[in-house]
Amino acid sequence: MQIHVVENYEKMSELAANYFAEVISEKPNCVIGLATGSTPVGMYSLLGKKCTEEGLDFSEVRSVNLDEYYPISPENEQSYRYFMNKNLFDKTNIDKANTNVPDGTAKDVDAFCREYEAKIDAMGGIDIQILGIGRNGHIGFNEPDSYLVPFTHLTALTESTIEANSRFFESEADVPKHALTMGIQSVFKARRIVILASGADKAEAVRDMLKGNISTACPASLLCLHPDVIFICDKDAYSLV
Ligand code: F6R
C-alpha cells in the first residue's frame, strides 16, 4: 500500500482528484468506482471543476457505485443516487445512462445483486475505485464481522454506522437499517483502489487498518492484500499510527 499523509482535507481531495483525472485522461471510457459520504465530496467538486474549467471529458466514462440504502427511492434526497447526481454527475458531462448505483427499489434482491456483479464484469472491471473508511473500519457497507460476503449483497447496518449516518437524517430512527453493497471481492476486482480518510474520528480505524492484523473485524485491513492501493489521509486521521 502506498501511503500519503497530507496536511488537510483539501490536500487529500486534490491528490485523489488528480489520480482520477489521470485515469480518465488516459482512458476516456474507463470505469470508475465511486463512494458516497462526506469524504469524497471535495474530490468530486474538484473533478467537476476539472470538467467544466479544464476540459476533463467524462462523456465516455462509465461508473459503478459501491452501495445504496435499502429500501429507498432514487428520488429520495437521502439516497446515494441523489447524492451522486448532486455531487458529481450533474457537475460533469457524464452520460447518466453510463452511471450505475445499486437499485434501492429492487424487488428481487438476490437477482439484482447477481446482475450488478455481472454488470461490473461485463464492463471489464473497475479501473480505479474510490473508498472512504467507516469509523469502525467498514468499506462500502461491509461491516466488521466474523465473516464477510464476497460479492454484492444486502446487509444490515451496524448501530455504529446508523449513528454515524444519522447526521444526514432528521433523526437516527430515519436512517435505513439495510443497504445493498458491493462485497470485498467485488471491490478487489478494481485494478487500482484509492482510499481516503480525514479527521480524528477516523484515527482508530486507520490505525487498525495499517497496524492491526488483517482481519474481517476491520474490513479495511483486507486492502493490505490488494496489489495497487493508494491510501491518502490527513494528519488527524493518521495521528494514532
Ligand atoms: C459510502 C460508503 C461508506 C463510507 C464510509 C465513510 O458509499 O461506502 O463506506 O465511505 O462510511 O463515510 P464518510 O465519508 O461519511 O465518513
Side-chain angles (χ1 to χ4, degrees), residues 68-74 101-116 154 180:
E68 175 63 283
Y69 289 123
Y70 186 85
I72 202 161
S73 130
V101 179
D103 180 4
T105 65
K107 297 267 178 305
D108 183 343
V109 166
D110 287 345
F112 173 78
C113 291
R114 278 195 304 276
E115 281 159 21
Y116 201 69
L154 181 70
L180 293 165

Side-chain angles (χ1 to χ4, degrees), residues 35-102:
T36 61
S38 315
T39 311
V41 169
M43 165 191 156
Y44 290 159
S45 149
L46 291 171
L47 285 174
K49 279 209 183 101
K50 283 180 191 290
C51 179
T52 52
E53 291 169 19
E54 295 165 28
L56 183 67
D57 183 15
F58 282 74
S59 61
E60 290 179 55
V61 170
R62 295 163 296 156
S63 76
V64 57
N65 260 76
L66 276 173
D67 42 20
E68 175 63 283
Y69 289 123
Y70 186 85
I72 202 161
S73 130
E75 283 83 39
N76 186 318
E77 293 188 10
Q78 308 297 346
S79 75
Y80 286 175
R81 161 55 75 179
Y82 191 94
F83 174 101
M84 288 311 306
N85 288 347
K86 176 167 154 235
N87 286 289
L88 183 67
F89 301 153
D90 290 342
K91 293 182 172 168
T92 69
N93 63 337
I94 200 164
D95 178 352
K96 291 235 180 78
N98 289 336
T99 66
N100 299 280
V101 179

